[in-house]
C-alpha cells in the first residue's frame, strides 16, 4: 500500500499489485522464470510438511497483534481445507507480503505473520484464498496463466485477486485451500492432530485449536503449561526468559524427560536435539526456517540459552533435577552437540544441586557416592561436605566429584553416633547390597558400635546378641576383651551378611573370649576388680539358655562368706553338703566356701547349680575322655585299673571332702539325686571304685565289709547296720563276691589269706586265689600263703598237676585250678610239677588193650582205648621233697599206676582225656555191673 485510497471491492489494492508484478515480468522476461523457480523451491523443498506450522505462526501473530489469546479452527469442507483464526485481521501490508516471495511483513516479536512462510500453502493447493473481516484475496494458477499469457508452471502467489470477506462467525480470518488432486485432506488433519499439542506449547498466543471438531486448549498457571486434548492432557514445566525451556511433567509434577526432540525457533526446525527439555528460542534460521543458520550469532544464542537452563532445573524439587542433565550419546545435530556441551558447562559452574546440609552447589562443587544408596547421603550430611544424593554417572557429566564407599568408611572410622543412627546406616546400605548395586565385600571396614560403648571397624567376629532386655543391659556393662557384642539398638541383618554371627545365650556361653574372662575372674577379683557385672551377665546367660552351661563356667567368681571364690568351690547356704563335708573344708583357705546368702537369694537355685555352685555332689560328664584330667581324687589310679579307656565318663566330684562319720548320709544323698545315682552305678565308674576303697563305714572301707548273704565268711566281716539298704551297700562297694577293682584290693585279699587269725574254708581259699589271678593285677608277693588245708604257711608249691597231690600233704601246696602258672608267679612260689621227684619202685609195662578190666570199662563208657600203655607198680613209690611216698599214680616221661582200681582208673582217665570221669572209672573197676554205672 502507498497510502492511496483503496478501490471499491478491492480494499487491499490487489489490482495495483497485479499490475506491478505483470509489468516486471514484461520488462524482464527472466523475472517470471525466477519467481516460478523460487515458488517451486519453496513448495517442494523449504516448506514441505510445514503447512500448519506456518499457518499457526500467522494465527499466533494475529492473536498477539489483537492482544487476546487466539483460537484456531481447521476443517475440511468438501475438498477444501479451511484454517480460521481470531486476532488482528488481514491488512494491506499483509496482502503485499502474501504476494511477495522474497519479503515478509513480519515486525517486532511476531513469529511470521503473513510472511514468506505462506508459500507453504502451495504444497497442497493451486487456488488458495484468505478471507478476513477486512476483506479477502485469492490466488489462482489458472488465472495467473491467463494474466501472464503463458502455459505451464507459473508462480501462483504473485498475483492476488479480491474476494468477498466471507468469514465464519466468531473468527477474524480464514485461509481456504482447495486441495489439489491427489492430496488427502483427512491425512492432513491427522498430521495436524499429532502436532497440535506441540504447536500450542510453542505458540503461547494460541489458546485453543479445533481440528475438525476435536479441540485442544492451552492454559498457563505460572510456570506450568497444560495442554488438554480430546484424548490426553500434557503438562509442561516452562522457564521463560530470553528463551523458553520446557520439560514434560506428569500429574504429580515429576519430569518426564524427552528422549529426542528438535530445535524450536520457536516452531520446529529440522535440527535434532537430545536434551531432556525443549528449547524454544529466537535463533538465526535459514530462509526456509527448517534449520538454524550456522555462525557466530547462532553460537552466542545457544550459549545464552544454555545459561538459562538452570532456571528450568531449579523449578523442580532437588531430587528430580537430575532428570534434566543431558545423558551421554551421539549428538543429533551440530546444534545439539554445541547446545549440550554448553548446558553441561553451565550445570558444572552454576548452583543447582541441593546438598544434604541444605545448601545449593554447582556440579563442580558437588560430591556424590559412586553407588546410589537411597537415604545414605542424608545420614552423611554433616560428615561429607557438599554431598548430593543422586546418580553418580549423571553428576560426573557435570564435573561432580565421585567418592567411593571406601572413602565413606574411612570418614566413618572414629565417628561417634547413637546406635540407632548406625542401624539406619546399615538399613540404607542393605538395600544397595540386596539390589547388587553395592558388593558386600566393599563394606569390610564398616564400623560397628559395640555394647561396651566402643565403635570398631569391621563386622567380622562381631556377635549379634539375642536374648532378654535384662541380658542385653548386663552385657552392655561387661568389659570382655575380644568379645565384640553389637549394641542391640544397632543390630541389623546386614552385619550378619558382613561376617557377624547371631549369638543366643548358649552361643555366647561357648564364646572363647567369655570363657577366658570367666577363667581369670577369680584372679581379677582378687586383684581388686569388681566381679559383680560379669557374674550377673554369665548367670543371666545360663538362665536364658535353660540352665545348661559348659563345665568351665564353674570357674566364675562368685561371692562367698568371706571372699570371692570359684562357683564350683561354693556350696549353697541350704545345701545338705554342709552337714556331710568335713568341717575343715569350710575353714579359711579350705577347699570350699558357702555362697553369700543375699547373692544366693537373687538367682534361681537351678541357675546357680548350673554355674557350678553345689547343692549336692557335682557330676562330671565327658563324652570323649582321652586322659585322666577331670580333677577326680585318685583319678590316674582308677584310670590305670580300667581294662580300656571309657567311651563316656560319668563321675562324681568332691567325694574326698566327705567327713568319715558322714558317709551313710553321703551315700543316701548320692542315691537320692538322679545324676549322682546314675554316676554311682556307671560300669567301671570312678565313683563306685573310689567309694569302695576310700569311704568309711564304721571305721573301714566298704570293700572291707561283706553283705550278710555273701559267701565270704572268714575273709570279710559282715557289714554293720549303718542305715543303708543292701542294694546301696552293694553299689557302695560292700562285697557280695570276690571281684577286685584295684591293686590295693588284690593286695588286701592276699593279706587276708595270709592272716593266720582268719579261718577260711579251702573252697573260699581257692576262689580267692583264682580272683587274684583273674583280676590281671600285680599286687606283689604276700608275706605268707594259705595252703589247701586252710593253714597259713611261709612256703608251698602251687599245684599245677594232679599226681603230685598224692605225694604231698595238703599243707604243702596251694590250689589254683584256673591258672596255676600265673598264681605261682604272683605268689613267688614254685610249681609242683617242677619239684624234683623220681619213681623208686619197679613196674611192669602193660598195654591198655591187655588190661581186660579197663577194656570192659572203656566199652561201658564208650571210650576209645588210648595208644600205648602204663607201668603197673605194686606198690608205686615216689621220692619228692626228700621224702618217699606211696602214691596211686604218677607221670614223668611215662605213665605209672599202682596195681589198684584207684591207681589204674586215674592213669587211664588221664591218658584217655577223661579226667573228670576218674571216680566213675574207679567204681566200675571195683564193680563192673550196670548198677554201678547207673548209680
Amino acid at each position: 500500500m502507498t497510502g492511496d485510497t483503496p478501490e471499491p471491492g478491492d480494499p487491499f489494492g490487489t489490482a495495483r499489485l497485479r499490475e506491478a508484478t505483470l509489468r516486471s515480468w514484461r520488462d524482464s522476461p527472466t523475472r517470471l522464470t525466477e519467481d516460478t523457480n523460487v515458488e517451486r523451491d519453496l513448495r517442494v523443498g523449504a516448506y514441505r510438511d510445514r503447512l500448519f506450522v506456518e499457518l499457526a505462526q500467522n494465527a499466533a501473530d494475529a492473536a498477539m497483534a489483537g492482544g487476546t489469546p487466539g483460537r484456531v479452527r481447521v476443517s475440511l469442507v468438501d475438498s477444501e481445507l479451511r484454517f480460521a483464526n481470531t486476532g488482528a485481521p488481514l491488512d494491506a501490508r499483509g496482502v503485499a507480503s502474501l504476494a511477495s516471495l522474497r519479503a515478509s511483513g513480519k515486525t517486532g516479536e511476531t513469529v511470521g505473520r503473513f510472511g514468506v512462510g505462506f508459500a507453504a500453502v502451495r504444497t497442497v493447493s493451486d487456488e488458495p484464498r484468505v478471507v478476513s473481516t477486512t476483506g479477502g484475496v485469492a490466488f489462482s494458477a489458472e488465472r495467473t496463466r491467463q494474466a501472464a499469457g503463458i502455459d505451464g508452471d507459473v508462480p501462483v502467489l504473485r498475483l492476488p485477486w479480491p474476494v468477498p470477506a466471507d468469514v465464519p462467525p466468531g473468527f477474524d480470518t480464514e485461509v481456504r485451500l482447495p486441495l489439489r488432486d491427489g492430496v488427502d485432506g483427512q491425512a492432513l488433519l491427522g498430521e495436524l492432530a499429532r502436532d497440535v499439542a506441540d504447536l500450542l506449547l510453542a505458540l503461547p498466543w494460541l489458546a485453543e485449536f479445533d481440528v475438525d471438531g476435536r479441540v485442544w486448549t492451552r492454559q498457563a498457571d505460572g510456570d506450568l503449561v497444560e495442554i488438554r486434548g480430546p484424548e490426553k492432557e500434557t503438562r509442561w514445566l516452562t522457564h521463560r526468559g530470553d528463551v523458553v525451556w520446557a520439560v514434560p511433567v506428569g500429574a504429580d509434577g515429576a519430569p518426564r524427560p524427552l528422549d529426542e526432540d528438535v530445535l524450536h525457533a520457536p516452531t520446529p526446525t529440522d535440527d535434532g536435539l537430545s536434551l531432556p527439555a525443549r528449547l524454544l528460542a529466537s535463533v538465526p534460521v535459514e530462509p526456509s526456517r527448517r534449520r538454524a543458520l550456522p555462525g557466530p550469532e547462532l553460537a552466542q544464542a545457544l550459549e545464552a540459552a544454555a545459561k538459562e537452563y538452570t532456571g528450568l532445573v531449579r523449578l523442580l524439587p532437588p531430587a528430580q533435577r537430575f532428570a534434566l542433565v543431558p545423558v551421554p550419546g551421539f549428538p543429533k545435530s551440530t546444534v545439539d552437540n554445541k547446545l549440550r556441551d554448553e548446558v553441561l558447562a553451565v550445570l558444572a559452574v552454576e548452583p543447582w544441586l541441593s546438598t544434604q546440609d541444605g545448601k545449593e552447589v554447582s556440579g563442580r562443587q558437588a560430591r556424590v557416592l559412586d553407588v546410589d544408596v537411597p537415604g545414605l547421603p542424608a545420614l552423611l550430611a554433616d560428615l561429607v561436605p557438599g554431598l548430593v544424593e543422586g546418580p553418580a554417572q549423571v553428576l560426573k557429566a557435570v564435573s561432580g566429584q565421585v567418592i567411593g564407599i571406601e572413602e565413606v568408611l574411612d570418614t566413618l572410622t572414629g565417628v561417634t553416633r547413637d546406635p540407632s543412627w548406625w542401624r539406619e546406616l546399615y538399613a540404607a546400605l542393605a538395600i544397595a547390597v540386596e539390589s547388587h548395586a553395592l558388593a558386600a565385600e566393599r563394606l569390610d571396614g564398616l564400623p560397628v558400635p559395640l555394647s561396651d560403648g566402643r565403635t570398631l571397624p569391621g563386622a567380622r567376629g562381631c556377635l549379634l546378641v539375642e536374648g532378654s532386655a535384662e541380658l542385653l543391659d548386663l552385657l552392655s556393662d561387661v568389659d570382655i576383651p575380644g568379645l565384640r557384642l553389637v549394641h542391640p539398638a544397632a543390630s541389623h541383618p546386614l552385619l550378619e551378611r558382613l561376617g557377624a554371627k547371631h549369638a543366643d545365650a548358649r552361643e555366647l556361653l561357648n564364646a572363647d573370649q567369655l570363657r577366658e574372662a570367666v577363667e581369670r575372674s577369680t584372679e581379677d577379683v582378687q586383684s581388686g576388680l569388681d566381679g559383680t557385672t560379669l557374674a550377673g551377665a554369665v548367670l543371666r546367660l545360663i538362665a536364658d539358655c535353660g540352665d545348661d552351661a559348659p563345665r568351665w563356667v564353674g570357674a566364675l567368681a562368685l561371692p562367698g562368706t568371706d571372699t570371692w571364690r570359684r562357683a564350683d568351690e561354693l556350696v549353697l547356704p541350704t545345701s545338705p553338703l554342709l552337714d556331710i563335708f568335713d568341717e575343715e573344708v569350710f575353714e579359711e583357705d579350705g577347699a570350699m566356701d558357702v555362697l553369700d546368702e543375699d547373692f544366693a537369694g537373687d538367682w534361681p537355685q537351678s541357675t546357680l547349680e548350673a554355674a557350678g555352685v553345689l547343692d549336692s555332689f557335682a557330676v562330671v560328664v565327658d563324652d570323649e575322655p582321652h586322659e585322666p584330667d577331670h580333677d577326680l581324687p585318685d583319678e590316674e589310679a582308677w584310670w590305670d585299673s580300667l581294662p580300656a579307656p571309657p567311651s563316656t565318663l560319668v563321675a562324681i566330684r568332691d567325694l574326698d571332702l566327705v567327713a568319715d562319720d558322714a558317709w551313710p548320709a553321703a551315700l543316701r544323698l548320692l542315691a537320692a539325686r538322679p545324676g549322682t545315682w546314675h554316676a554311682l552305678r556307671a560300669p567301671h565308674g570312678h565313683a563306685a571304685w573310689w567309694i569302695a576303697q576310700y569311704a568309711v563305714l564304721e571305721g573301714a572301707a566298704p570293700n572291707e565289709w561283706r553283705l550278710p548273704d555273701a559267701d565270704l565268711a572268714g575273709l570279710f566281716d559282715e557289714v554293720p547296720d549303718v542305715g543303708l539298704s543292701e542294694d546301696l551297700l552293694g553299689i557302695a562297694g560292700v562285697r557280695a563276691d570276690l571281684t577286685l577293682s584295684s591293686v590295693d584290693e588284690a593286695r588286701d585279699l592276699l593279706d587276708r589269706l595270709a592272716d593266720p587269725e582268719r579261718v577260711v574254708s579251702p573252697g573260699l581259699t581257692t576262689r580267692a586265689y583264682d580272683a587274684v589271678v583273674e583280676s590281671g593285677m600285680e599286687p606283689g608277693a604276700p608275706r605268707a600263703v594259705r595252703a589247701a588245708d586252710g593253714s597259713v604257711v611261709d612256703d608251698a608249691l602251687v599245684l599245677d598237676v594232679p599226681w603230685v597231690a598224692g605225694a604231698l600233704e595238703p599243707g604243702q601246696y596251694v590250689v589254683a585250678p584256673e591258672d596255676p602258672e600265673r598264681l605261682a608267679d604272683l605268689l613267688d612260689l614254685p610249681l609242683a610239677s617242677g619239684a624234683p621227684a623220681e619213681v623208686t619202685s619197679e613196674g611192669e609195662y602193660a598195654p591198655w588193650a591187655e588190661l581186660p578190666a579197663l577194656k570192659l570199662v572203656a566199652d561201658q563208657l564208650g571210650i576209645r582205648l588210648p595208644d600205648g600203655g602204663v607201668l603197673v607198680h605194686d606198690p608205686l613209690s615216689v621220692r619228692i621233697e626228700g621224702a618217699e611216698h606211696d602214691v596211686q599214680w604218677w607221670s614223668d616221661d611215662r605213665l605209672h599206676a599202682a596195681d589198684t582200681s584207684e591207681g589204674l582208673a586215674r592213669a587211664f582217665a588221664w591218658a584217655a582225656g577223661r579226667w573228670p570221669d576218674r571216680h566213675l572209672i574207679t567204681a566200675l573197676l571195683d564193680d563192673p555191673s550196670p548198677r554201678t554205672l547207673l548209680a
Side-chain angles (χ1 to χ4, degrees):
M1 298 288 291
T2 61
D4 296 336
T5 302
E7 298 178 7
D10 187 8
F12 304 125
T14 60
R16 183 177 56 81
L17 292 174
R18 290 194 305 276
E19 179 59 30
T21 300
L22 290 170
R23 184 169 56 249
S24 68
W25 288 348
R26 289 192 299 269
D27 294 342
S28 176
T30 60
R31 181 63 180 267
L32 175 61
T33 302
E34 291 174 0
D35 287 350
T36 301
N37 291 338
V38 169
E39 187 173 290
R40 183 189 302 111
D41 290 342
L42 294 175
R43 184 179 76 244
V44 301
Y47 287 99
R48 57 178 168 75
D49 305 327
R50 290 184 61 84
L51 171 64
F52 294 115
V53 171
E54 297 300 332
L55 294 179
Q57 288 182 149
N58 290 339
D61 290 341
M64 183 176 66
T68 301
R71 294 182 296 109
V72 173
R73 183 180 71 189
V74 182
S75 59
L76 188 65
V77 179
D78 297 328
S79 295
E80 183 175 84
L81 184 68
R82 296 183 177 183
F83 190 101
N85 62 271
T86 62
L90 185 65
D91 59 14
R93 181 186 295 273
V95 172
S97 296
L98 293 177
S100 173
L101 294 176
R102 296 174 177 85
S104 172
K106 175 180 177 182
T107 60
E109 298 180 355
T110 58
V111 181
R113 173 170 163 74
F114 301 134
V116 179
F118 185 71
V121 301
R122 288 289 288 117
T123 61
V124 298
S125 178
D126 292 334
E127 307 289 333
R129 302 192 308 280
V130 180
V131 296
S132 186
T133 56
T134 55
V137 294
F139 300 91
S140 169
E142 184 59 35
R143 293 178 71 178
T144 299
R145 292 188 190 97
Q146 293 175 2
I150 62 173
D151 292 329
D153 200 4
V154 292
V156 174
L157 298 182
R158 293 291 280 133
L159 301 180
W161 280 272
V163 294
D166 182 17
V167 181
F171 293 91
D172 297 304
T173 303
E174 185 174 57
V175 177
R176 296 174 179 174
L177 304 174
L179 298 178
R180 188 185 303 114
D181 291 344
V183 176
D184 188 341
Q186 291 297 334
L188 290 174
L189 293 179
E191 293 175 5
L192 174 59
R194 289 194 299 271
D195 298 336
V196 68
D198 287 341
L199 289 172
L200 285 174
L201 175 66
L203 303 171
W205 277 98
L206 294 184
E208 180 180 292
F209 220 117
D210 182 332
V211 180
D212 199 26
R214 293 170 290 174
V215 179
W216 283 259
T217 61
R218 181 187 197 277
Q219 291 183 339
D221 182 9
D223 299 314
L224 186 65
V225 174
E226 183 175 19
I227 298 174
R228 298 179 180 177
E231 295 180 356
K232 68 176 183 178
E233 299 177 1
T234 57
R235 296 175 178 82
W236 294 78
L237 184 65
T238 63
H239 169 73
R240 292 185 178 274
D242 292 335
V243 300
V244 176
W245 283 102
V247 63
V249 295
D252 57 356
R256 296 178 178 177
L258 299 173
D259 292 328
E260 57 180 316
D261 198 16
V262 295
L263 173 65
H264 287 67
T267 51
T269 69
D270 287 347
D271 289 310
L273 295 182
S274 61
L275 272 70
R278 174 169 293 176
L279 173 61
L280 300 98
S282 295
V283 300
V285 293
E286 296 175 347
S288 65
R289 302 183 59 82
R290 301 189 71 85
R291 290 190 179 277
L293 183 65
E297 292 184 5
L298 176 62
Q300 293 174 4
L302 295 179
E303 290 176 10
K307 290 180 180 179
E308 296 193 25
Y309 192 74
T310 52
L312 175 66
V313 174
R314 288 197 192 95
L315 293 177
L316 291 171
Q320 298 177 358
R321 295 176 182 178
F322 303 102
L324 295 189
V325 177
V327 298
F330 291 106
K332 303 292 185 181
S333 64
T334 303
V335 172
D336 184 41
N337 187 45
K338 173 67 174 175
L339 185 59
R340 188 168 60 181
D341 288 346
E342 293 294 338
V343 166
L344 291 174
V346 168
L347 293 177
V349 297
E350 293 293 327
W352 62 278
L353 289 164
S354 181
T355 64
Q356 294 300 311
D357 54 3
K359 300 177 182 178
E360 274 203 352
V361 296
S362 66
R364 192 167 293 161
Q365 296 170 322
R367 304 175 75 189
V368 63
L369 300 176
D370 64 348
V371 291
D372 186 13
V373 183
L376 180 59
L379 294 169
L380 303 176
D382 59 337
L383 299 174
V384 183
L387 185 61
V388 172
E389 183 171 10
Q393 286 300 113
V394 171
L395 289 173
K396 282 176 66 177
V398 294
S399 303
Q401 179 184 352
V402 180
I403 59 175
I405 199 69
E406 293 80 5
E407 184 177 344
V408 172
L409 298 186
D410 290 341
T411 302
L412 291 174
T413 301
V415 169
T416 301
R417 289 290 187 275
D418 289 337
S420 58
W421 182 90
W422 289 103
R423 180 178 175 83
E424 290 182 42
L425 178 73
Y426 303 151
L429 291 171
I431 295 174
V433 172
E434 291 298 329
S435 65
H436 303 290
L438 176 63
E441 294 75 15
R442 297 182 64 190
L443 299 176
D444 282 346
L446 183 65
V448 179
L450 305 183
S451 60
D452 59 10
R454 296 175 297 161
T455 299
L456 299 179
R460 196 170 304 280
C462 292
L463 297 178
L464 300 167
V465 182
E466 299 174 354
S468 63
E470 180 184 0
L471 171 61
L472 298 177
D473 288 342
L474 287 169
L475 289 174
S476 65
D477 295 331
V478 180
D479 182 12
I480 303 175
L483 189 62
R484 302 177 63 180
L485 303 178
V486 178
H487 196 289
S491 179
H492 191 277
L494 174 67
L495 297 178
E496 183 179 8
R497 182 162 185 170
L498 298 180
K501 295 183 178 179
H502 280 283
D504 57 15
R506 192 177 310 280
E507 289 166 323
L508 282 174
L509 277 178
N510 290 321
D512 293 338
Q513 298 88 345
L514 182 63
R515 177 174 183 171
E516 293 170 4
V518 168
E519 290 178 341
R520 68 170 181 273
S521 60
T522 303
E523 181 181 346
D524 288 345
V525 172
Q526 292 172 352
S527 65
L529 298 178
D530 184 9
T532 305
T533 303
L534 178 63
V538 174
L539 290 175
R540 185 71 263 170
L541 287 172
I542 294 173
D544 283 2
C545 70
D547 303 327
D548 182 14
R551 189 174 67 180
W552 53 260
V553 300
L556 178 65
L558 296 178
T561 304
D562 299 316
T563 185
W564 286 64
R565 299 284 291 269
R566 289 171 55 106
D568 55 12
E569 294 178 356
L570 291 169
V571 176
L572 290 172
T574 57
S575 170
L577 293 177
L578 295 173
D579 298 324
I580 291 176
F581 284 169
D582 194 296
E583 292 181 358
E584 295 181 356
V585 170
F586 300 104
E587 293 179 357
E588 187 176 356
D589 297 329
M592 289 285 175
D593 195 1
V594 181
L595 182 66
D596 179 82
E597 189 170 352
D598 292 336
F599 188 89
D602 293 337
W603 294 95
Q605 180 173 325
S606 59
T607 300
L608 294 171
E609 288 186 54
V613 182
L614 300 180
D615 180 58
S616 180
F617 288 94
V619 176
V620 177
V621 179
D622 187 350
D623 293 329
E624 296 182 0
H626 298 296
E627 56 185 20
D629 60 350
H630 303 87
D631 197 25
L632 301 173
D634 299 288
E635 185 177 358
E636 289 191 9
W638 164 72
W639 194 277
D640 292 339
S641 73
L642 297 174
S647 59
T648 300
L649 182 145
V650 182
I652 300 172
R653 211 191 71 193
D654 302 324
L655 294 172
D656 54 338
L657 304 183
V658 176
D660 287 348
D661 60 353
W663 271 106
L667 289 169
R668 284 191 289 271
L669 180 60
L670 289 171
R673 305 291 175 95
T676 51
W677 178 242
H678 173 66
L680 197 61
R681 301 181 64 187
H684 302 290
H686 172 272
W689 174 86
W690 194 91
I691 290 172
Q693 299 179 83
Y694 299 108
V696 178
L697 296 177
E698 293 295 328
N703 63 5
E704 296 180 24
W705 300 105
R706 65 175 174 84
L707 295 174
D709 295 336
D711 187 14
L712 302 174
L715 278 179
F716 298 95
D717 296 334
E718 182 179 336
V719 63
D721 184 4
V722 292
L724 300 175
S725 68
E726 189 168 317
D727 286 343
L728 183 55
L729 288 170
I731 292 172
V734 177
R735 293 194 172 278
D737 53 34
L738 291 172
T739 301
L740 303 176
S741 59
S742 70
V743 173
D744 289 342
E745 289 189 20
R747 185 178 298 114
D748 176 69
L749 182 57
L750 292 178
D751 289 344
R752 290 173 181 269
L753 288 170
D755 183 359
E757 299 297 323
R758 295 184 178 277
V759 178
V760 183
S761 68
L764 181 57
T765 298
T766 299
R767 296 201 308 276
Y769 281 127
D770 279 344
V772 175
V773 169
E774 291 172 0
S775 72
M777 299 176 186
E778 301 285 346
R783 64 180 184 276
V785 297
R786 191 169 292 266
D789 63 352
S791 62
V792 176
V793 297
D794 294 333
D795 191 20
L797 297 174
V798 175
L799 190 65
D800 61 333
V801 290
W803 55 85
V804 177
L808 299 177
E809 296 298 326
Q812 293 180 288
Y813 59 84
V814 176
V815 177
E818 293 299 326
D819 191 349
E821 290 82 1
R822 168 69 175 157
L823 182 61
D825 183 57
L826 290 174
L827 301 181
D828 196 18
L829 295 177
L831 289 169
S833 61
E838 67 174 311
V839 176
T840 58
S841 61
E842 293 293 332
E844 182 180 353
Y845 178 76
W848 297 112
E850 295 181 4
L851 297 172
L854 280 172
K855 286 180 63 178
L856 178 59
V857 169
D859 181 61
Q860 287 179 297
L861 296 178
I863 299 174
R864 187 178 67 85
L865 290 174
D867 295 334
V870 61
L871 286 170
V872 180
H873 300 254
D874 188 18
L876 172 59
S877 298
V878 177
R879 180 180 297 278
I880 184 172
E881 293 288 304
E884 192 166 321
H885 301 273
D886 287 340
V887 297
Q888 292 297 319
W889 72 295
W890 195 264
S891 178
D892 45 25
D893 294 336
R894 294 176 298 179
L895 196 60
H896 305 264
D899 191 11
T900 64
S901 297
E902 182 180 354
L904 289 171
R906 290 175 184 272
F908 178 74
W910 185 264
R914 300 291 290 268
W915 181 249
D917 293 330
R918 61 190 182 278
H919 300 296
L920 177 58
I921 295 171
T922 300
L924 287 172
L925 287 175
D926 289 337
D927 183 6
S929 65
R931 69 171 177 271
T932 302
L933 183 61
L934 293 174

